[in-house]
Amino acid sequence: MHKELSMNNLNTVFVDVDDFCQTFLPAWEEHLISSGIK
């Protein structure tokens, strides 16, 4: 495995996870607040 390829892949995974968190976390917070959990 080439180092450049794995770093590129790592960056792609990080961006995907970050995009997911930017979308999911505010919706999850709103759910917790609206259901009285938080």
Side-chain angles (χ1 to χ4, degrees), residues 19-33:
D19 288 346
F20 170 79
C21 288
Q22 293 295 322
T23 303
F24 176 78
L25 291 177
W28 181 244
E29 278 289 314
E30 184 60 38
H31 168 74
L32 292 178
I33 292 167

Side-chain angles (χ1 to χ4, degrees), residues 1-36:
M1 193 177 209
H2 297 291
K3 187 176 181 181
E4 293 170 14
L5 181 59
S6 70
M7 285 306 292
N8 219 3
N9 193 25
L10 184 61
N11 287 339
T12 301
V13 170
F14 176 80
V15 168
D16 288 344
V17 170
D18 188 55
D19 288 346
F20 170 79
C21 288
Q22 293 295 322
T23 303
F24 176 78
L25 291 177
W28 181 244
E29 278 289 314
E30 184 60 38
H31 168 74
L32 292 178
I33 292 167
S34 66
S35 50

